[in-house]
Amino acid sequence: METINKPKTTIVIFGVTGDLAKRKLFPSIYNLFKKGLLSENFAVVGVARRPWTNEILRSNVCEAVKNEVDPDAGELEGFCSHFHYLPFDVSREESFDELNSLIGDLEEKHSIPGNRIFYMAMAPQFFGTIASSLKSRGLTETEGWSRLVIEKPFGHNLPSAKELNEQIREAFNEDQIYRIDHYLGKEMVQNIEVIRFANAMFEPLWNNRYISNIQITSSESLGVEDRGGYYDTSGALRDMVQNHMLQMVSLLAMDPPIRLTTEEIRSEKIKVLRAMRKVSSDEVEDYFVRGQYGPGEIKGKEVPGYRSENNINPDSQTETFVAGKLMIDNHRWAGVPFYIRTGKRMAVKSTKIVIQFKELPMNIYETKNSDTHPNLLVIHIQPDEGITLLLNSKKNDSSGGTAPVHLHFSNNSVNTVNTPEAYERLLHDCMLGDATNFTHWDEVDLSWAFIDTISEYWENSKEELPNYSSGTMGPEESDELLKKDGFHWWPLNEDGE
Ligand code: NAP
């Protein structure tokens, strides 16, 4: 039983000296260890070019864990002793032989039966080469299982994603490949499925007869920070929409799976992506809006425009904001727009989903001078986690009219000390061989096919950019997109933004 829940595993981190390893992977592995979700028989091998030693890596791991979580001092040293460093250059084939031999020694020392996770925490141009060399140098031939964890971005368009996929598929089967979309590890994103499929009151209403539109916002108040080099070649459409936003759309729109298995859930999500209406180049402006932030003010502090940030082309046409209207052409959703928006340097930092229900056939309270409010179900993903249901109730006076009330459940106020962070959950799933919350190739394929027309259109057309000030909710055209359908974005905070 213990081995099933806690498989004895070696985790190999490619790019162990980088930012992702430090901020996300070390604290996540530590939390799994602290919660008793890791077998005592585990080893972490970190590789990168710089001439570190085991001691340097271990002290960096300790430091990173202390920065992110509150570790148990007595345990931390023991935990760090499981980490091993190997100076390594991906372009040198011999590096892979040295790695194989080190893993072999550790497997023997810790009685690990050849279970290996290869985690690609490096720039994407290395993913294919690493996968090929892992196979050609025999690292995937083990007594146990081997799995490949791939970070985003998975390609920058459909052809490049296909090329990368073909390369890694020569070394790993689809069921050994774990493509990370960390949104799928978030508590409230995972909760979408439960809210929908475990409540008799929602599922019967979850269709075009009762829902008028769905709005998904993922806004950041930060700018590009130190990711300028990458971001300027990517933009919000590729960085956020192709993966995280479309994943949330498919979770909201999918039919109930017949069982909670990886295959059944993925198959329902894939159907949604297949039903998504393609936007042709001459329709892009009807369905999508792009924006780029100019200078402005965030929390009373002046901030520069995108084009003045580090490593950004001063004439950049890269979008830092996208709003879009998606139509899902199937029986359940025909006629219901799914509006998405995501951007940087916006007025608020918030990821939220608002499900707006249709109005009643008539408002009998009109005579009481009362506008009934549309019923809303709000799913708060981050930074707040929770659910709000907006209902109409009797006004607290003698007018006999109505007033909106909010039924609110805040996940932040329950004990969240033990709530796992997204990466922690996903690493654990990977160890257990559960790929449900990872992206299948078919999802990547369909989402790039959808996105590519839009990005190609934008690449070939110039726009007056920047077109929104930092500290706002994006360009006016984003509001127009909903206005022409008779809707508006619901505010994300009490200031009405
Ligand atoms: P990073 O800080 O630039 O780290 C890159 C790592 O690769 C370093 O450890 C570097 O170490 C190593 N490296 C570079 N060239 C190498 C070579 N030829 N051989 C061996 N190692 C080499 O990047 P990151 O921010 O951690 O991101 C890693 C991946 O995660 C990227 O695909 C990124 O898109 C993705 N990602 C990151 C985040 C995040 O929060 N950082 C979030 C989502 C996705 P040396 O210089 O010592 O070789």
Side-chain angles (χ1 to χ4, degrees):
M1 188 64 189
E2 182 170 314
T3 1
I4 297 172
N5 288 328
K6 301 182 196 182
K8 300 170 179 170
T9 310
T10 305
I11 304 172
V12 181
I13 302 178
F14 289 90
V16 79
T17 58
D19 178 67
L20 182 77
K22 181 172 78 182
R23 285 193 310 110
K24 300 290 178 191
L25 304 185
F26 301 155
S28 299
I29 301 171
Y30 175 75
N31 279 342
L32 292 173
F33 171 82
K34 194 174 169 193
K35 290 175 188 170
L37 295 170
L38 270 191
S39 161
E40 278 159 24
N41 308 57
F42 83 97
V44 181
V45 179
V47 308
R49 285 168 307 181
R50 60 198 81 168
W52 279 13
T53 58
N54 287 346
E55 287 64 39
I56 299 178
L57 172 63
R58 288 171 193 169
S59 95
N60 272 273
V61 173
C62 277
E63 212 46 49
V65 171
K66 283 185 203 155
N67 279 343
E68 300 292 331
V69 291
D70 186 18
D72 182 319
E75 275 180 355
L76 191 54
E77 205 173 312
F79 168 75
C80 290
S81 70
H82 289 260
F83 282 71
H84 304 266
Y85 185 76
L86 183 70
F88 187 98
D89 194 325
V90 168
S91 52
R92 271 184 68 244
E93 285 276 302
E94 306 76 52
S95 286
F96 288 85
D97 298 336
E98 290 156 22
L99 176 60
N100 205 7
S101 137
L102 174 60
I103 301 174
D105 292 348
L106 292 170
E107 284 174 345
E108 202 171 310
K109 180 175 163 204
H110 294 288
S111 313
I112 299 171
N115 296 330
R116 300 177 177 180
I117 291 180
F118 299 105
Y119 198 114
M120 313 270 133
M122 284 182 58
Q125 71 262 30
F126 296 117
F127 295 166
T129 319
I130 298 174
S132 306
S133 302
L134 285 173
K135 164 117 176 158
S136 65
R137 308 308 277 200
L139 280 88
T140 53
E141 280 161 38
T142 71
E143 303 262 300
W145 43 256
S146 45
R147 298 179 183 143
L148 186 73
V149 181
I150 298 238
E151 268 296 339
K152 78 167 190 184
F154 198 93
H156 58 272
N157 55 15
L158 185 54
S160 60
K162 269 191 175 145
E163 193 183 322
L164 170 59
N165 201 49
E166 276 158 22
Q167 208 174 0
I168 60 176
R169 282 297 305 273
E170 276 173 26
F172 292 85
N173 297 326
E174 177 63 32
D175 62 7
Q176 294 176 289
I177 302 170
Y178 289 69
R179 298 178 194 83
I180 287 231
D181 184 320
H182 72 276
Y183 268 54
L184 296 181
K186 290 184 188 291
E187 177 71 12
M188 289 307 293
V189 172
Q190 297 197 345
N191 212 342
I192 294 174
E193 184 186 290
V194 183
I195 294 167
R196 290 192 51 198
F197 304 134
N199 290 299
M201 61 185 288
F202 290 129
E203 190 47 27
L205 307 183
W206 213 263
N207 55 54
N208 52 9
R209 268 172 292 155
Y210 300 100
I211 289 179
S212 75
N213 73 92
I214 293 185
Q215 306 179 6
I216 309 171
T217 301
S218 184
S219 60
E220 288 179 60
S221 51
L222 290 178
V224 281
E225 307 303 292
D226 49 9
R227 290 175 73 218
Y230 156 74
Y231 196 86
D232 207 33
T233 59
S234 162
L237 189 68
R238 293 187 174 103
D239 190 48
M240 288 295 296
V241 178
Q242 179 269 332
N243 37 43
H244 313 315
M245 304 300 280
L246 293 186
Q247 282 295 326
M248 288 193 280
V249 169
S250 30
L251 289 169
L252 287 161
M254 72 195 239
D255 273 357
I258 53 172
R259 254 170 245 108
L260 285 180
T261 60
T262 306
E263 291 69 31
E264 296 299 344
I265 293 174
R266 280 174 159 183
S267 133
E268 294 304 336
K269 286 170 66 195
I270 289 167
K271 282 191 215 157
V272 172
L273 296 171
R274 283 173 43 207
M276 221 159 58
R277 188 182 301 168
K278 299 272 172 301
V279 175
S280 63
S281 345
D282 45 13
E283 292 169 328
V284 170
E285 292 185 11
D286 298 331
Y287 285 87
F288 275 84
V289 171
R290 68 174 147 167
Q292 186 190 78
Y293 63 84
E297 222 179 70
I298 303 256
K299 290 186 191 137
K301 210 177 129 212
E302 280 187 21
V303 291
Y306 177 72
R307 289 177 176 181
S308 316
E309 303 268 25
N310 283 342
N311 298 322
I312 303 295
N313 173 356
D315 300 318
S316 177
Q317 279 282 317
T318 301
E319 77 288 350
T320 61
F321 174 95
V322 175
K325 167 172 147 177
L326 310 175
M327 299 304 292
I328 297 165
D329 292 329
N330 62 16
H331 268 207
R332 186 188 279 262
W333 294 115
V336 180
F338 283 64
Y339 299 108
I340 55 169
R341 67 177 163 168
T342 179
K344 291 193 179 291
R345 281 275 191 248
M346 293 175 66
V348 272
K349 172 183 168 59
S350 172
T351 303
K352 253 185 208 142
I353 297 166
V354 181
I355 293 114
Q356 178 175 344
F357 291 86
K358 287 190 170 165
E359 308 271 345
L360 288 163
M362 64 175 280
N363 174 12
I364 55 172
Y365 294 96
E366 213 169 12
T367 52
K368 306 280 183 191
N369 234 353
S370 263
D371 278 337
T372 52
H373 197 285
N375 291 135
L376 303 179
L377 173 68
V378 184
I379 304 175
H380 310 258
I381 311 272
Q382 66 181 25
D384 300 330
E385 294 185 352
I387 309 166
T388 305
L389 187 59
L390 198 140
L391 303 174
N392 292 298
S393 175
K394 184 186 162 299
K395 218 182 230 166
N396 201 2
D397 60 19
S398 55
S399 67
T402 67
V405 290
H406 296 75
L407 303 189
H408 184 61
F409 161 70
S410 168
N411 210 34
N412 307 44
S413 37
V414 295
N415 182 0
T416 49
V417 176
N418 286 319
T419 308
E421 217 258 327
Y423 274 92
E424 180 187 335
R425 217 187 287 257
L426 294 172
L427 258 172
H428 191 229
D429 284 354
C430 175
M431 239 173 260
L432 299 181
D434 181 354
T436 313
N437 291 310
F438 293 82
T439 325
H440 189 274
W441 163 248
D442 292 348
E443 297 171 79
V444 178
D445 182 342
L446 288 161
S447 49
W448 275 126
F450 179 81
I451 291 296
D452 278 358
T453 334
I454 303 159
S455 48
E456 277 160 25
Y457 177 81
W458 283 348
E459 267 153 34
N460 295 319
S461 63
K462 286 251 181 276
E463 185 135 356
E464 276 294 311
L465 297 175
N467 59 354
Y468 71 99
S469 303
S470 290
T472 66
M473 286 310 285
E476 271 173 27
E477 290 82 353
S478 154
D479 297 332
E480 292 297 322
L481 187 70
L482 277 69
K483 205 169 167 189
K484 62 189 181 200
D485 295 338
F487 301 123
H488 60 81
W489 292 108
W490 290 104
L492 300 175
N493 68 10
E494 277 154 21
D495 299 335
E497 283 163 329

